[in-house]
CSV table of all heavy atoms in Angstrom, one decimal:
chain,number,residue,atom,x,y,z
A,168,LEU,N,-12.7,-36.7,-18.4
A,168,LEU,CA,-12.0,-38.0,-18.4
A,168,LEU,C,-12.3,-38.7,-19.8
A,168,LEU,O,-12.7,-39.8,-19.9
A,168,LEU,CB,-12.4,-38.9,-17.3
A,168,LEU,CG,-12.1,-38.3,-15.9
A,168,LEU,CD1,-12.7,-39.3,-14.8
A,168,LEU,CD2,-10.6,-38.2,-15.7
A,169,LEU,N,-12.0,-38.0,-20.9
A,169,LEU,CA,-12.2,-38.5,-22.2
A,169,LEU,C,-10.8,-38.6,-22.9
A,169,LEU,O,-10.0,-37.7,-22.9
A,169,LEU,CB,-13.0,-37.5,-23.0
A,169,LEU,CG,-14.5,-37.3,-22.5
A,169,LEU,CD1,-15.2,-36.2,-23.3
A,169,LEU,CD2,-15.3,-38.6,-22.6
A,170,LEU,N,-10.7,-39.8,-23.6
A,170,LEU,CA,-9.5,-40.1,-24.4
A,170,LEU,C,-9.9,-40.4,-25.8
A,170,LEU,O,-10.7,-41.2,-26.0
A,170,LEU,CB,-8.8,-41.3,-23.8
A,170,LEU,CG,-7.5,-41.7,-24.6
A,170,LEU,CD1,-6.4,-40.8,-24.6
A,170,LEU,CD2,-7.0,-43.1,-24.0
A,171,ALA,N,-9.3,-39.7,-26.8
A,171,ALA,CA,-9.6,-39.9,-28.2
A,171,ALA,C,-8.4,-40.6,-28.8
A,171,ALA,O,-7.3,-40.1,-28.6
A,171,ALA,CB,-9.8,-38.6,-28.9
A,172,VAL,N,-8.6,-41.7,-29.5
A,172,VAL,CA,-7.5,-42.5,-30.1
A,172,VAL,C,-7.8,-42.5,-31.6
A,172,VAL,O,-8.9,-43.1,-32.0
A,172,VAL,CB,-7.4,-43.9,-29.5
A,172,VAL,CG1,-6.3,-44.7,-30.2
A,172,VAL,CG2,-7.3,-43.8,-28.0
A,173,GLY,N,-7.0,-42.0,-32.4
A,173,GLY,CA,-7.2,-42.1,-33.9
A,173,GLY,C,-6.2,-43.1,-34.5
A,173,GLY,O,-5.1,-43.4,-34.0
A,174,PHE,N,-6.7,-43.7,-35.6
A,174,PHE,CA,-6.0,-44.9,-36.1
A,174,PHE,C,-5.6,-44.6,-37.6
A,174,PHE,O,-5.9,-43.6,-38.2
A,174,PHE,CB,-6.9,-46.1,-36.1
A,174,PHE,CG,-7.2,-46.6,-34.7
A,174,PHE,CD1,-8.3,-46.1,-34.0
A,174,PHE,CD2,-6.4,-47.6,-34.1
A,174,PHE,CE1,-8.6,-46.5,-32.7
A,174,PHE,CE2,-6.7,-48.0,-32.8
A,174,PHE,CZ,-7.8,-47.5,-32.1
A,175,THR,N,-4.6,-45.4,-38.1
A,175,THR,CA,-4.0,-45.2,-39.4
A,175,THR,C,-5.0,-45.2,-40.5
A,175,THR,O,-4.8,-44.6,-41.6
A,175,THR,CB,-2.9,-46.2,-39.6
A,175,THR,OG1,-3.5,-47.5,-39.5
A,175,THR,CG2,-1.8,-46.1,-38.6
A,176,LYS,N,-6.1,-46.0,-40.4
A,176,LYS,CA,-7.1,-46.0,-41.4
A,176,LYS,C,-8.2,-45.0,-41.3
A,176,LYS,O,-9.2,-45.0,-42.0
A,176,LYS,CB,-7.8,-47.4,-41.5
A,176,LYS,CG,-6.7,-48.5,-41.9
A,176,LYS,CD,-7.4,-49.9,-42.0
A,176,LYS,CE,-6.4,-50.9,-42.5
A,176,LYS,NZ,-7.0,-52.3,-42.7
A,177,GLY,N,-8.1,-44.0,-40.3
A,177,GLY,CA,-9.0,-43.0,-40.2
A,177,GLY,C,-10.2,-43.3,-39.2
A,177,GLY,O,-11.1,-42.4,-39.0
A,178,ASN,N,-10.2,-44.4,-38.5
A,178,ASN,CA,-11.1,-44.7,-37.5
A,178,ASN,C,-10.8,-44.0,-36.2
A,178,ASN,O,-9.6,-43.6,-36.0
A,178,ASN,CB,-11.2,-46.2,-37.3
A,178,ASN,CG,-11.7,-46.9,-38.6
A,178,ASN,OD1,-12.5,-46.4,-39.3
A,178,ASN,ND2,-11.1,-48.1,-38.8
A,179,LEU,N,-11.8,-43.9,-35.4
A,179,LEU,CA,-11.7,-43.1,-34.1
A,179,LEU,C,-12.3,-44.0,-33.0
A,179,LEU,O,-13.4,-44.6,-33.2
A,179,LEU,CB,-12.3,-41.8,-34.2
A,179,LEU,CG,-12.4,-40.9,-32.9
A,179,LEU,CD1,-11.1,-40.4,-32.4
A,179,LEU,CD2,-13.4,-39.8,-33.1
A,180,VAL,N,-11.7,-44.0,-31.8
A,180,VAL,CA,-12.3,-44.5,-30.6
A,180,VAL,C,-12.2,-43.5,-29.5
A,180,VAL,O,-11.2,-42.9,-29.3
A,180,VAL,CB,-11.6,-45.8,-30.1
A,180,VAL,CG1,-12.2,-46.3,-28.7
A,180,VAL,CG2,-11.9,-47.0,-31.1
Side-chain angles (χ1 to χ4, degrees):
L168 296 177
L169 296 173
L170 174 67
V172 183
F174 294 87
T175 56
K176 294 186 177 181
N178 299 323
L179 172 70
V180 170

